[in-house]
Amino acid sequence: MTQPTLIRRERAARPLMLDLFCCAGGAGTGYRQAGFDVVGVDIRPRPNYPFQFIQADALEYLAALIASGEIERYAFVHSSPPCQAGCALTVGTNRSRGWGGTHVDLVPPTRVLLEASGLPYVIEQPNGRAEIRKDLTLCGEQFSLGVIRHRNFELGRWSVTRPAHPKHRGRVRGWRHGEFFDGPYVAAYGNGGGKPTVPELQTAMGIDWTDVREELTEAIPPAYSHWIGAQFLAQTRAGVAA
């Protein structure tokens, strides 16, 4: 009897992406869902990071990758430099009330190294005074999430058409100047003022692998980076992206 021919099917390798200033992996998870393998780098220990993690100064690590040529292993870089120097909360309410301290702006040195890497990249920042090109702005309402959480993205060595920004369905729930407002969104920052419980925040953000409030409030929803990663990979397969 003739034996059936065995056909060996090998999955194509997933492109490798570098997740700088990775925190607990909100961005990294979205890129993984889009089709990347992910390596995260952060100066602090991140035991909840769900992928390969390297504890190091992100900019020093990137510089070392460039110097050694190891950067060529990667196809894409996402970076979320600490936002305290330019975010709306720091430059607005906190500064007016004398809260917080001084913060170093890491966006410019991050951009310099990303340009030197030769790779397509993203720099992510919240609304505020961070000096990035707002090539893309994403909002939770675009993904039917329970947060608004506007985030801006500078895209280096590639581009994408902005998706439509739908009208918000209402207000963010919580106290504002002594008055409580209800609404379909929760506030993904801070602790007081009617802020959500950790389970509410996990559900609203689409994050279930960490229950640390600080990590949740620092994260971007994975839906954002899933969309970005899928757009980039679609362009790459079509021969459009760098």
Side-chain angles (χ1 to χ4, degrees):
M1 178 182 292
T2 302
Q3 296 295 316
T5 302
L6 297 178
I7 301 175
R8 185 177 180 182
R9 302 185 186 276
E10 294 186 357
R11 294 182 62 186
R14 297 164 64 99
L16 189 62
M17 66 85 56
L18 188 61
D19 182 13
L20 298 176
F21 310 97
C22 66
C23 195
T29 296
Y31 286 113
R32 174 70 185 184
Q33 292 168 348
F36 287 93
D37 280 338
V38 179
V39 177
V41 183
D42 201 287
I43 198 167
R44 295 173 56 186
R46 298 293 184 182
N48 291 323
Y49 191 77
F51 313 113
Q52 181 181 348
F53 173 74
I54 296 165
Q55 184 177 351
D57 180 286
L59 297 186
E60 290 179 2
Y61 187 78
L62 178 57
L65 287 177
I66 294 169
S68 68
E70 285 293 301
I71 194 65
E72 295 179 8
R73 297 174 51 224
Y74 295 90
F76 189 82
V77 186
H78 175 98
S79 63
S80 294
C83 64
Q84 289 87 347
C87 77
L89 183 61
T90 300
V91 302
T93 302
N94 285 6
R95 181 167 297 172
S96 69
R97 299 192 180 188
W99 298 341
T102 58
H103 303 279
V104 178
D105 183 3
L106 294 182
V107 170
T110 298
R111 183 186 294 110
V112 168
L113 284 174
L114 290 172
E115 282 293 327
S117 77
L119 294 178
Y121 65 82
V122 166
I123 302 174
E124 174 267 325
Q125 290 286 280
N127 281 339
R129 297 180 185 172
E131 294 188 4
I132 66 168
R133 294 190 318 271
K134 297 179 181 179
D135 299 320
L136 176 66
T137 298
L138 296 179
C139 167
E141 183 60 26
Q142 292 166 313
F143 305 99
S144 301
L145 297 176
V147 289
I148 292 178
R149 205 155 184 78
H150 292 130
R151 287 297 181 269
N152 302 307
F153 302 87
E154 179 176 320
L155 311 181
R157 300 181 181 273
W158 74 293
S159 62
V160 68
T161 301
R162 288 170 172 263
H165 189 163
K167 183 179 180 180
H168 299 162
R169 290 171 286 127
R171 300 190 62 130
V172 176
R173 190 186 80 203
W175 289 90
R176 301 289 184 280
H177 307 292
E179 184 177 359
F180 183 83
F181 296 92
D182 201 359
Y185 311 103
V186 299
Y189 58 88
N191 292 299
K195 298 300 190 297
T197 65
V198 165
E200 286 176 325
L201 192 50
Q202 289 174 311
T203 299
M205 295 276 287
I207 293 176
D208 61 6
W209 63 90
T210 178
D211 59 1
V212 178
R213 180 178 286 274
E214 180 188 7
E215 293 181 342
L216 290 163
T217 58
E218 289 181 355
I220 67 170
Y224 293 12
S225 49
H226 185 180
W227 187 89
I228 293 170
Q231 296 296 312
F232 176 79
L233 290 176
Q235 291 185 20
T236 300
R237 293 168 186 141
V240 175

